[in-house]
Amino acid sequence: MITPSLEDMGYELVRITMTGNEKKILQVMAERPDGTMTIEGCTEVSRMVSALLDVEDPISGAYDLEVSSPGIDRPLTRLKDFERWAGFEAKVELDQAVEGKRRYRGKLLGLKDETILVDGDDGTRFELPFSEIRKAKLILTDELIAASTAASKS
């Protein structure tokens, strides 16, 4: 529901989640196509999402809206995320086990069609179906910090 408006504003939706039982929080993660997000951008997206949700009213009960950037150790939610962040370490959890495991950690090697390629910590290469990914995120490493710092300076 919010994706078309986000795209019209020049943003991409990274993830949307609802957490909490008694105090619900709707978290919207967004960024520009180049991977950047500013405080002003979060404010702009928050105003748009809030107005849209007020009109459409898809969520029953009270909740807080939280808009943020994905951050350095970002969640990987789209196929293009696995290609873009190839070369960096990630944790990947699957819905169904592949080769007897549901949790993987290693260096992302990119994609082969809709399969995520991961070089495991033990040197084993894994091919994980994107459709089976429950959650995935980058691991905060010195290399990731250096790359993120260099990107923000350019």
Short mmCIF file of all heavy atoms in Angstrom, two decimals, residues 49-119:
data_model
loop_
_atom_site.label_atom_id
_atom_site.label_comp_id
_atom_site.label_asym_id
_atom_site.label_seq_id
_atom_site.Cartn_x
_atom_site.Cartn_y
_atom_site.Cartn_z
N VAL A 49 3.71 8.25 5.17
CA VAL A 49 3.15 6.98 5.63
C VAL A 49 2.05 7.23 6.64
O VAL A 49 0.98 6.61 6.59
CB VAL A 49 4.26 6.06 6.21
CG1 VAL A 49 3.65 4.84 6.88
CG2 VAL A 49 5.23 5.63 5.11
N SER A 50 2.29 8.15 7.56
CA SER A 50 1.29 8.47 8.58
C SER A 50 -0.01 8.96 7.95
O SER A 50 -1.10 8.51 8.31
CB SER A 50 1.85 9.53 9.54
OG SER A 50 0.93 9.80 10.56
N ALA A 51 0.10 9.86 6.98
CA ALA A 51 -1.10 10.38 6.30
C ALA A 51 -1.82 9.27 5.55
O ALA A 51 -3.05 9.17 5.61
CB ALA A 51 -0.71 11.51 5.36
N LEU A 52 -1.08 8.43 4.87
CA LEU A 52 -1.67 7.33 4.10
C LEU A 52 -2.39 6.35 5.03
O LEU A 52 -3.51 5.93 4.76
CB LEU A 52 -0.58 6.61 3.30
CG LEU A 52 -1.04 5.56 2.31
CD1 LEU A 52 -1.95 6.16 1.25
CD2 LEU A 52 0.18 4.92 1.64
N LEU A 53 -1.75 6.01 6.14
CA LEU A 53 -2.36 5.07 7.09
C LEU A 53 -3.57 5.68 7.78
O LEU A 53 -4.53 4.97 8.11
CB LEU A 53 -1.33 4.60 8.11
CG LEU A 53 -0.18 3.75 7.55
CD1 LEU A 53 0.81 3.39 8.64
CD2 LEU A 53 -0.69 2.50 6.87
N ASP A 54 -3.55 6.99 8.00
CA ASP A 54 -4.72 7.65 8.60
C ASP A 54 -5.92 7.54 7.67
O ASP A 54 -7.05 7.33 8.12
CB ASP A 54 -4.43 9.13 8.89
CG ASP A 54 -3.56 9.33 10.12
OD1 ASP A 54 -3.37 8.36 10.89
OD2 ASP A 54 -3.07 10.45 10.30
N VAL A 55 -5.69 7.67 6.36
CA VAL A 55 -6.78 7.60 5.39
C VAL A 55 -7.25 6.16 5.20
O VAL A 55 -8.44 5.86 5.26
CB VAL A 55 -6.34 8.21 4.03
CG1 VAL A 55 -7.37 7.92 2.95
CG2 VAL A 55 -6.11 9.70 4.18
N GLU A 56 -6.31 5.24 4.97
CA GLU A 56 -6.65 3.85 4.67
C GLU A 56 -7.05 3.06 5.93
O GLU A 56 -7.83 2.12 5.84
CB GLU A 56 -5.48 3.15 3.98
CG GLU A 56 -5.12 3.75 2.63
CD GLU A 56 -6.19 3.53 1.59
OE1 GLU A 56 -6.90 2.50 1.63
OE2 GLU A 56 -6.33 4.41 0.71
N ASP A 57 -6.46 3.39 7.07
CA ASP A 57 -6.74 2.77 8.38
C ASP A 57 -6.69 1.23 8.34
O ASP A 57 -7.64 0.56 8.74
CB ASP A 57 -8.09 3.26 8.89
CG ASP A 57 -8.25 3.02 10.39
OD1 ASP A 57 -7.22 2.93 11.09
OD2 ASP A 57 -9.40 2.91 10.85
N PRO A 58 -5.56 0.65 7.87
CA PRO A 58 -5.48 -0.81 7.75
C PRO A 58 -5.13 -1.54 9.06
O PRO A 58 -5.21 -2.76 9.11
CB PRO A 58 -4.35 -0.99 6.73
CG PRO A 58 -3.44 0.16 7.03
CD PRO A 58 -4.36 1.31 7.38
N ILE A 59 -4.75 -0.79 10.09
CA ILE A 59 -4.29 -1.42 11.33
C ILE A 59 -5.26 -1.07 12.45
O ILE A 59 -5.50 0.10 12.74
CB ILE A 59 -2.87 -0.94 11.69
CG1 ILE A 59 -1.90 -1.25 10.55
CG2 ILE A 59 -2.40 -1.57 12.99
CD1 ILE A 59 -0.56 -0.57 10.67
N SER A 60 -5.80 -2.10 13.07
CA SER A 60 -6.73 -1.84 14.17
C SER A 60 -5.95 -1.60 15.46
O SER A 60 -4.91 -2.21 15.69
CB SER A 60 -7.70 -3.02 14.35
OG SER A 60 -6.98 -4.18 14.68
N GLY A 61 -6.45 -0.71 16.26
CA GLY A 61 -5.81 -0.42 17.54
C GLY A 61 -4.69 0.60 17.41
O GLY A 61 -4.34 1.04 16.32
N ALA A 62 -4.15 0.98 18.56
CA ALA A 62 -3.08 1.97 18.60
C ALA A 62 -1.74 1.35 18.25
O ALA A 62 -1.50 0.17 18.52
CB ALA A 62 -3.02 2.58 20.00
N TYR A 63 -0.88 2.14 17.64
CA TYR A 63 0.48 1.72 17.31
C TYR A 63 1.34 2.96 17.14
O TYR A 63 0.83 4.06 16.90
CB TYR A 63 0.53 0.86 16.04
CG TYR A 63 0.07 1.59 14.81
CD1 TYR A 63 0.98 2.26 13.99
CD2 TYR A 63 -1.28 1.64 14.46
CE1 TYR A 63 0.55 2.95 12.86
CE2 TYR A 63 -1.71 2.33 13.34
CZ TYR A 63 -0.79 2.98 12.55
OH TYR A 63 -1.20 3.66 11.44
N ASP A 64 2.64 2.78 17.26
CA ASP A 64 3.60 3.84 16.98
C ASP A 64 4.24 3.55 15.64
O ASP A 64 4.56 2.40 15.33
CB ASP A 64 4.70 3.91 18.06
CG ASP A 64 4.18 4.42 19.39
OD1 ASP A 64 3.24 5.24 19.39
OD2 ASP A 64 4.70 3.99 20.43
N LEU A 65 4.45 4.60 14.84
CA LEU A 65 5.11 4.47 13.56
C LEU A 65 6.57 4.85 13.73
O LEU A 65 6.88 5.89 14.32
CB LEU A 65 4.45 5.41 12.53
CG LEU A 65 5.13 5.49 11.16
CD1 LEU A 65 5.12 4.13 10.46
CD2 LEU A 65 4.44 6.55 10.30
N GLU A 66 7.46 4.00 13.25
CA GLU A 66 8.90 4.25 13.31
C GLU A 66 9.46 4.11 11.90
O GLU A 66 9.32 3.05 11.28
CB GLU A 66 9.53 3.21 14.24
CG GLU A 66 11.02 3.28 14.36
CD GLU A 66 11.56 2.14 15.23
OE1 GLU A 66 11.31 2.16 16.44
OE2 GLU A 66 12.20 1.24 14.67
N VAL A 67 10.06 5.17 11.40
CA VAL A 67 10.67 5.14 10.07
C VAL A 67 12.17 5.26 10.24
O VAL A 67 12.64 6.12 10.99
CB VAL A 67 10.14 6.28 9.17
CG1 VAL A 67 10.88 6.32 7.84
CG2 VAL A 67 8.64 6.12 8.93
N SER A 68 12.93 4.39 9.56
CA SER A 68 14.39 4.41 9.71
C SER A 68 15.07 3.98 8.43
O SER A 68 14.44 3.45 7.51
CB SER A 68 14.81 3.48 10.86
OG SER A 68 14.55 2.14 10.52
N SER A 69 16.38 4.20 8.42
CA SER A 69 17.21 3.66 7.35
C SER A 69 17.55 2.22 7.74
O SER A 69 17.42 1.85 8.91
CB SER A 69 18.48 4.48 7.20
OG SER A 69 19.37 4.19 8.25
N PRO A 70 18.01 1.42 6.80
CA PRO A 70 18.38 0.05 7.14
C PRO A 70 19.62 -0.04 8.04
O PRO A 70 19.82 -1.03 8.71
CB PRO A 70 18.65 -0.60 5.80
CG PRO A 70 18.02 0.28 4.79
CD PRO A 70 18.03 1.64 5.37
N GLY A 71 20.46 0.99 8.04
CA GLY A 71 21.66 0.97 8.87
C GLY A 71 22.79 0.18 8.22
O GLY A 71 22.64 -0.39 7.13
N ILE A 72 23.92 0.15 8.90
CA ILE A 72 25.10 -0.53 8.35
C ILE A 72 24.89 -2.04 8.32
O ILE A 72 25.12 -2.69 7.31
CB ILE A 72 26.37 -0.17 9.15
CG1 ILE A 72 26.70 1.31 8.98
CG2 ILE A 72 27.56 -1.01 8.69
CD1 ILE A 72 27.88 1.79 9.80
N ASP A 73 24.48 -2.62 9.44
CA ASP A 73 24.27 -4.08 9.48
C ASP A 73 22.81 -4.39 9.12
O ASP A 73 22.08 -5.03 9.83
CB ASP A 73 24.66 -4.67 10.83
CG ASP A 73 23.96 -4.00 12.00
OD1 ASP A 73 23.40 -2.89 11.83
OD2 ASP A 73 23.97 -4.57 13.09
N ARG A 74 22.46 -3.95 7.95
CA ARG A 74 21.12 -3.93 7.42
C ARG A 74 20.51 -5.31 7.19
O ARG A 74 21.22 -6.28 6.92
CB ARG A 74 21.14 -3.18 6.09
CG ARG A 74 22.05 -3.88 5.08
CD ARG A 74 22.13 -3.17 3.74
NE ARG A 74 20.85 -3.10 3.12
CZ ARG A 74 20.28 -1.96 2.70
NH1 ARG A 74 20.90 -0.83 2.81
NH2 ARG A 74 19.09 -1.97 2.15
N PRO A 75 19.18 -5.37 7.22
CA PRO A 75 18.53 -6.60 6.78
C PRO A 75 18.63 -6.71 5.27
O PRO A 75 18.68 -5.69 4.56
CB PRO A 75 17.07 -6.40 7.22
CG PRO A 75 16.89 -4.93 7.29
CD PRO A 75 18.23 -4.35 7.66
N LEU A 76 18.69 -7.91 4.78
CA LEU A 76 18.74 -8.19 3.35
C LEU A 76 17.38 -8.78 2.99
O LEU A 76 17.07 -9.90 3.39
CB LEU A 76 19.87 -9.16 3.04
CG LEU A 76 21.26 -8.72 3.53
CD1 LEU A 76 22.26 -9.85 3.45
CD2 LEU A 76 21.73 -7.50 2.78
N THR A 77 16.58 -8.01 2.28
CA THR A 77 15.19 -8.42 2.05
C THR A 77 14.83 -8.59 0.58
O THR A 77 13.80 -9.16 0.27
CB THR A 77 14.23 -7.39 2.66
OG1 THR A 77 14.46 -6.11 2.05
CG2 THR A 77 14.42 -7.28 4.17
N ARG A 78 15.67 -8.06 -0.30
CA ARG A 78 15.37 -8.10 -1.73
C ARG A 78 16.50 -8.84 -2.45
O ARG A 78 17.64 -8.82 -1.99
CB ARG A 78 15.26 -6.68 -2.28
CG ARG A 78 14.22 -5.83 -1.52
CD ARG A 78 14.40 -4.35 -1.78
NE ARG A 78 15.66 -3.89 -1.18
CZ ARG A 78 16.05 -2.62 -1.18
NH1 ARG A 78 15.31 -1.69 -1.75
NH2 ARG A 78 17.19 -2.27 -0.63
N LEU A 79 16.20 -9.45 -3.57
CA LEU A 79 17.24 -10.14 -4.33
C LEU A 79 18.42 -9.23 -4.60
O LEU A 79 19.57 -9.62 -4.44
CB LEU A 79 16.69 -10.65 -5.67
CG LEU A 79 16.06 -12.03 -5.66
CD1 LEU A 79 15.36 -12.31 -6.98
CD2 LEU A 79 17.08 -13.11 -5.35
N LYS A 80 18.15 -7.99 -4.99
CA LYS A 80 19.23 -7.08 -5.33
C LYS A 80 20.15 -6.78 -4.14
O LYS A 80 21.30 -6.45 -4.33
CB LYS A 80 18.70 -5.79 -5.94
CG LYS A 80 18.03 -4.85 -4.97
CD LYS A 80 17.59 -3.59 -5.71
CE LYS A 80 17.22 -2.48 -4.76
NZ LYS A 80 16.98 -1.24 -5.48
N ASP A 81 19.65 -6.94 -2.90
CA ASP A 81 20.49 -6.72 -1.73
C ASP A 81 21.64 -7.74 -1.68
O ASP A 81 22.76 -7.41 -1.31
CB ASP A 81 19.68 -6.85 -0.43
CG ASP A 81 18.64 -5.76 -0.26
OD1 ASP A 81 18.79 -4.67 -0.86
OD2 ASP A 81 17.66 -6.01 0.47
N PHE A 82 21.37 -8.97 -2.06
CA PHE A 82 22.38 -10.01 -2.01
C PHE A 82 23.45 -9.81 -3.09
O PHE A 82 24.60 -10.16 -2.89
CB PHE A 82 21.73 -11.39 -2.13
CG PHE A 82 20.88 -11.73 -0.94
CD1 PHE A 82 19.53 -11.41 -0.92
CD2 PHE A 82 21.43 -12.31 0.18
CE1 PHE A 82 18.75 -11.69 0.18
CE2 PHE A 82 20.66 -12.59 1.29
CZ PHE A 82 19.31 -12.28 1.30
N GLU A 83 23.04 -9.22 -4.20
CA GLU A 83 24.00 -8.90 -5.26
C GLU A 83 24.82 -7.67 -4.87
O GLU A 83 26.05 -7.67 -4.98
CB GLU A 83 23.24 -8.62 -6.57
CG GLU A 83 24.13 -8.50 -7.78
CD GLU A 83 24.70 -9.83 -8.21
OE1 GLU A 83 23.94 -10.80 -8.37
OE2 GLU A 83 25.93 -9.91 -8.38
N ARG A 84 24.14 -6.66 -4.39
CA ARG A 84 24.80 -5.39 -4.03
C ARG A 84 25.83 -5.57 -2.92
O ARG A 84 26.86 -4.92 -2.91
CB ARG A 84 23.73 -4.40 -3.59
CG ARG A 84 24.29 -3.07 -3.16
CD ARG A 84 23.17 -2.14 -2.81
NE ARG A 84 23.69 -0.85 -2.43
CZ ARG A 84 22.96 0.09 -1.90
NH1 ARG A 84 21.67 -0.11 -1.70
NH2 ARG A 84 23.50 1.23 -1.56
N TRP A 85 25.54 -6.43 -1.96
CA TRP A 85 26.41 -6.61 -0.79
C TRP A 85 27.31 -7.84 -0.91
O TRP A 85 27.86 -8.30 0.09
CB TRP A 85 25.57 -6.61 0.49
CG TRP A 85 24.90 -5.29 0.67
CD1 TRP A 85 23.60 -4.97 0.40
CD2 TRP A 85 25.51 -4.08 1.13
NE1 TRP A 85 23.38 -3.64 0.67
CE2 TRP A 85 24.53 -3.07 1.11
CE3 TRP A 85 26.81 -3.75 1.54
CZ2 TRP A 85 24.79 -1.76 1.50
CZ3 TRP A 85 27.07 -2.45 1.93
CH2 TRP A 85 26.07 -1.47 1.90
N ALA A 86 27.47 -8.36 -2.12
CA ALA A 86 28.39 -9.48 -2.34
C ALA A 86 29.78 -9.07 -1.88
O ALA A 86 30.21 -7.94 -2.06
CB ALA A 86 28.41 -9.87 -3.82
N GLY A 87 30.46 -10.00 -1.22
CA GLY A 87 31.79 -9.73 -0.70
C GLY A 87 31.80 -9.45 0.80
O GLY A 87 32.85 -9.43 1.43
N PHE A 88 30.60 -9.24 1.36
CA PHE A 88 30.49 -8.96 2.79
C PHE A 88 29.85 -10.14 3.51
O PHE A 88 29.15 -10.94 2.91
CB PHE A 88 29.67 -7.68 3.02
CG PHE A 88 30.34 -6.45 2.50
CD1 PHE A 88 30.03 -5.94 1.26
CD2 PHE A 88 31.33 -5.82 3.25
CE1 PHE A 88 30.66 -4.82 0.76
CE2 PHE A 88 31.98 -4.70 2.76
CZ PHE A 88 31.65 -4.20 1.52
N GLU A 89 30.11 -10.22 4.81
CA GLU A 89 29.58 -11.31 5.61
C GLU A 89 28.13 -11.08 5.99
O GLU A 89 27.72 -9.95 6.23
CB GLU A 89 30.41 -11.48 6.88
CG GLU A 89 31.79 -12.04 6.61
CD GLU A 89 32.54 -12.33 7.91
OE1 GLU A 89 31.98 -13.07 8.75
OE2 GLU A 89 33.64 -11.81 8.06
N ALA A 90 27.38 -12.19 6.05
CA ALA A 90 25.97 -12.12 6.40
C ALA A 90 25.55 -13.35 7.17
O ALA A 90 26.22 -14.38 7.13
CB ALA A 90 25.12 -11.99 5.14
N LYS A 91 24.44 -13.20 7.88
CA LYS A 91 23.75 -14.32 8.51
C LYS A 91 22.47 -14.53 7.73
O LYS A 91 21.78 -13.57 7.40
CB LYS A 91 23.36 -14.00 9.96
CG LYS A 91 24.49 -13.96 10.93
CD LYS A 91 23.91 -13.69 12.31
CE LYS A 91 24.99 -13.39 13.31
NZ LYS A 91 24.42 -13.08 14.64
N VAL A 92 22.16 -15.79 7.44
CA VAL A 92 20.95 -16.11 6.69
C VAL A 92 20.24 -17.24 7.42
O VAL A 92 20.85 -18.24 7.78
CB VAL A 92 21.28 -16.57 5.24
CG1 VAL A 92 20.02 -16.92 4.48
CG2 VAL A 92 22.07 -15.49 4.51
N GLU A 93 18.93 -17.05 7.64
CA GLU A 93 18.11 -18.08 8.27
C GLU A 93 17.01 -18.46 7.29
O GLU A 93 16.35 -17.59 6.72
CB GLU A 93 17.50 -17.57 9.57
CG GLU A 93 16.70 -18.61 10.30
CD GLU A 93 16.13 -18.09 11.62
OE1 GLU A 93 16.79 -17.27 12.28
OE2 GLU A 93 15.01 -18.52 11.96
N LEU A 94 16.82 -19.75 7.11
CA LEU A 94 15.84 -20.27 6.15
C LEU A 94 14.60 -20.81 6.86
O LEU A 94 14.67 -21.21 8.03
CB LEU A 94 16.46 -21.40 5.33
CG LEU A 94 17.75 -21.09 4.58
CD1 LEU A 94 18.28 -22.36 3.90
CD2 LEU A 94 17.53 -19.99 3.57
N ASP A 95 13.49 -20.86 6.12
CA ASP A 95 12.27 -21.50 6.63
C ASP A 95 12.45 -23.02 6.65
O ASP A 95 12.06 -23.68 7.59
CB ASP A 95 11.06 -21.15 5.76
CG ASP A 95 10.56 -19.73 6.01
OD1 ASP A 95 10.60 -19.27 7.16
OD2 ASP A 95 10.12 -19.10 5.03
N GLN A 96 13.04 -23.56 5.58
CA GLN A 96 13.26 -25.00 5.46
C GLN A 96 14.76 -25.26 5.35
O GLN A 96 15.48 -24.51 4.69
CB GLN A 96 12.57 -25.54 4.21
CG GLN A 96 11.07 -25.35 4.18
CD GLN A 96 10.36 -26.18 5.23
OE1 GLN A 96 10.69 -27.34 5.46
NE2 GLN A 96 9.38 -25.58 5.88
N ALA A 97 15.22 -26.33 5.96
CA ALA A 97 16.64 -26.67 5.95
C ALA A 97 17.14 -26.98 4.53
O ALA A 97 16.42 -27.58 3.73
CB ALA A 97 16.91 -27.86 6.86
N VAL A 98 18.35 -26.54 4.25
CA VAL A 98 19.05 -26.88 3.02
C VAL A 98 20.35 -27.53 3.47
O VAL A 98 21.08 -26.98 4.30
CB VAL A 98 19.35 -25.62 2.16
CG1 VAL A 98 20.29 -25.95 1.02
CG2 VAL A 98 18.05 -25.03 1.63
N GLU A 99 20.62 -28.73 2.93
CA GLU A 99 21.81 -29.49 3.33
C GLU A 99 21.85 -29.67 4.85
O GLU A 99 22.91 -29.60 5.48
CB GLU A 99 23.08 -28.82 2.81
CG GLU A 99 23.13 -28.76 1.29
CD GLU A 99 24.41 -28.16 0.75
OE1 GLU A 99 25.47 -28.32 1.39
OE2 GLU A 99 24.34 -27.54 -0.32
N GLY A 100 20.66 -29.88 5.45
CA GLY A 100 20.57 -30.18 6.87
C GLY A 100 20.68 -28.99 7.81
O GLY A 100 20.71 -29.16 9.02
N LYS A 101 20.73 -27.78 7.27
CA LYS A 101 20.88 -26.59 8.11
C LYS A 101 19.84 -25.54 7.75
O LYS A 101 19.45 -25.43 6.60
CB LYS A 101 22.27 -25.96 7.92
CG LYS A 101 23.42 -26.78 8.41
CD LYS A 101 24.77 -26.21 8.03
CE LYS A 101 24.94 -24.74 8.36
NZ LYS A 101 26.28 -24.22 8.07
N ARG A 102 19.45 -24.76 8.77
CA ARG A 102 18.57 -23.62 8.52
C ARG A 102 19.30 -22.30 8.70
O ARG A 102 18.84 -21.27 8.22
CB ARG A 102 17.37 -23.65 9.48
CG ARG A 102 16.34 -24.70 9.10
CD ARG A 102 15.09 -24.66 9.94
NE ARG A 102 14.60 -23.30 10.11
CZ ARG A 102 14.16 -22.81 11.28
NH1 ARG A 102 14.18 -23.55 12.36
NH2 ARG A 102 13.72 -21.58 11.35
N ARG A 103 20.43 -22.30 9.42
CA ARG A 103 21.17 -21.06 9.69
C ARG A 103 22.56 -21.13 9.04
O ARG A 103 23.29 -22.11 9.21
CB ARG A 103 21.31 -20.84 11.19
CG ARG A 103 20.00 -20.50 11.84
CD ARG A 103 20.18 -20.20 13.32
NE ARG A 103 18.92 -19.80 13.92
CZ ARG A 103 18.07 -20.64 14.46
NH1 ARG A 103 18.35 -21.93 14.50
NH2 ARG A 103 16.94 -20.20 14.98
N TYR A 104 22.88 -20.05 8.33
CA TYR A 104 24.16 -19.98 7.63
C TYR A 104 24.82 -18.65 7.96
O TYR A 104 24.16 -17.65 8.21
CB TYR A 104 23.94 -20.05 6.11
CG TYR A 104 23.43 -21.38 5.67
CD1 TYR A 104 22.07 -21.68 5.73
CD2 TYR A 104 24.30 -22.37 5.22
CE1 TYR A 104 21.60 -22.92 5.35
CE2 TYR A 104 23.83 -23.61 4.84
CZ TYR A 104 22.48 -23.88 4.91
OH TYR A 104 22.02 -25.11 4.53
N ARG A 105 26.13 -18.68 7.94
CA ARG A 105 26.93 -17.47 8.12
C ARG A 105 28.11 -17.57 7.19
O ARG A 105 28.78 -18.61 7.12
CB ARG A 105 27.41 -17.36 9.58
CG ARG A 105 28.26 -16.14 9.81
CD ARG A 105 28.77 -16.11 11.24
NE ARG A 105 29.75 -15.05 11.37
CZ ARG A 105 29.77 -14.16 12.33
NH1 ARG A 105 28.86 -14.22 13.28
NH2 ARG A 105 30.68 -13.24 12.38
N GLY A 106 28.37 -16.49 6.46
CA GLY A 106 29.50 -16.51 5.55
C GLY A 106 29.49 -15.30 4.64
O GLY A 106 28.70 -14.38 4.79
N LYS A 107 30.39 -15.34 3.67
CA LYS A 107 30.54 -14.23 2.72
C LYS A 107 29.56 -14.40 1.58
O LYS A 107 29.47 -15.47 0.97
CB LYS A 107 31.96 -14.20 2.18
CG LYS A 107 32.23 -13.00 1.27
CD LYS A 107 33.64 -13.01 0.74
CE LYS A 107 34.57 -12.61 1.85
NZ LYS A 107 35.95 -12.35 1.38
N LEU A 108 28.82 -13.33 1.29
CA LEU A 108 27.90 -13.35 0.16
C LEU A 108 28.70 -13.35 -1.13
O LEU A 108 29.65 -12.59 -1.29
CB LEU A 108 26.98 -12.13 0.20
CG LEU A 108 26.03 -12.03 1.38
CD1 LEU A 108 25.27 -10.71 1.33
CD2 LEU A 108 25.07 -13.20 1.41
N LEU A 109 28.27 -14.21 -2.06
CA LEU A 109 28.94 -14.31 -3.36
C LEU A 109 28.05 -13.82 -4.49
O LEU A 109 28.44 -13.91 -5.66
CB LEU A 109 29.36 -15.76 -3.62
CG LEU A 109 30.31 -16.37 -2.60
CD1 LEU A 109 30.54 -17.85 -2.91
CD2 LEU A 109 31.62 -15.60 -2.56
N GLY A 110 26.87 -13.31 -4.16
CA GLY A 110 25.96 -12.81 -5.18
C GLY A 110 24.83 -13.78 -5.45
O GLY A 110 24.42 -14.53 -4.57
N LEU A 111 24.35 -13.78 -6.69
CA LEU A 111 23.18 -14.56 -7.08
C LEU A 111 23.44 -15.45 -8.27
O LEU A 111 24.28 -15.15 -9.10
CB LEU A 111 22.04 -13.60 -7.48
CG LEU A 111 21.52 -12.63 -6.47
CD1 LEU A 111 20.57 -11.65 -7.14
CD2 LEU A 111 20.83 -13.35 -5.34
N LYS A 112 22.67 -16.52 -8.32
CA LYS A 112 22.55 -17.35 -9.52
C LYS A 112 21.06 -17.53 -9.70
O LYS A 112 20.43 -18.28 -8.93
CB LYS A 112 23.26 -18.69 -9.34
CG LYS A 112 23.20 -19.56 -10.59
CD LYS A 112 24.06 -20.81 -10.46
CE LYS A 112 23.33 -21.85 -9.64
NZ LYS A 112 24.06 -23.11 -9.53
N ASP A 113 20.48 -16.79 -10.62
CA ASP A 113 19.02 -16.71 -10.79
C ASP A 113 18.40 -16.22 -9.48
O ASP A 113 18.72 -15.13 -9.06
CB ASP A 113 18.45 -18.06 -11.25
CG ASP A 113 19.02 -18.49 -12.59
OD1 ASP A 113 19.14 -17.62 -13.49
OD2 ASP A 113 19.37 -19.67 -12.75
N GLU A 114 17.56 -17.03 -8.84
CA GLU A 114 16.96 -16.61 -7.56
C GLU A 114 17.53 -17.43 -6.41
O GLU A 114 16.85 -17.71 -5.42
CB GLU A 114 15.44 -16.71 -7.63
CG GLU A 114 14.86 -15.70 -8.59
CD GLU A 114 13.39 -15.41 -8.38
OE1 GLU A 114 12.78 -16.00 -7.47
OE2 GLU A 114 12.86 -14.59 -9.13
N THR A 115 18.80 -17.76 -6.53
CA THR A 115 19.52 -18.51 -5.50
C THR A 115 20.63 -17.64 -4.96
O THR A 115 21.38 -17.02 -5.71
CB THR A 115 20.11 -19.81 -6.11
OG1 THR A 115 19.02 -20.59 -6.64
CG2 THR A 115 20.84 -20.62 -5.07
N ILE A 116 20.72 -17.59 -3.63
CA ILE A 116 21.75 -16.80 -2.95
C ILE A 116 22.99 -17.68 -2.80
O ILE A 116 22.90 -18.82 -2.32
CB ILE A 116 21.27 -16.37 -1.54
CG1 ILE A 116 19.88 -15.75 -1.58
CG2 ILE A 116 22.29 -15.48 -0.87
CD1 ILE A 116 19.68 -14.62 -2.52
N LEU A 117 24.13 -17.16 -3.20
CA LEU A 117 25.39 -17.90 -3.08
C LEU A 117 26.14 -17.39 -1.86
O LEU A 117 26.36 -16.19 -1.71
CB LEU A 117 26.22 -17.72 -4.35
CG LEU A 117 25.51 -18.05 -5.67
CD1 LEU A 117 26.40 -17.72 -6.84
CD2 LEU A 117 25.06 -19.50 -5.68
N VAL A 118 26.54 -18.33 -1.00
CA VAL A 118 27.24 -17.99 0.24
C VAL A 118 28.45 -18.89 0.40
O VAL A 118 28.35 -20.11 0.26
CB VAL A 118 26.31 -18.16 1.48
CG1 VAL A 118 27.04 -17.86 2.76
CG2 VAL A 118 25.06 -17.31 1.35
N ASP A 119 29.58 -18.26 0.69
CA ASP A 119 30.80 -19.00 1.03
C ASP A 119 30.82 -19.11 2.54
O ASP A 119 31.07 -18.13 3.25
CB ASP A 119 32.03 -18.23 0.52
CG ASP A 119 33.31 -19.02 0.66
OD1 ASP A 119 33.25 -20.22 0.97
OD2 ASP A 119 34.38 -18.42 0.45
#
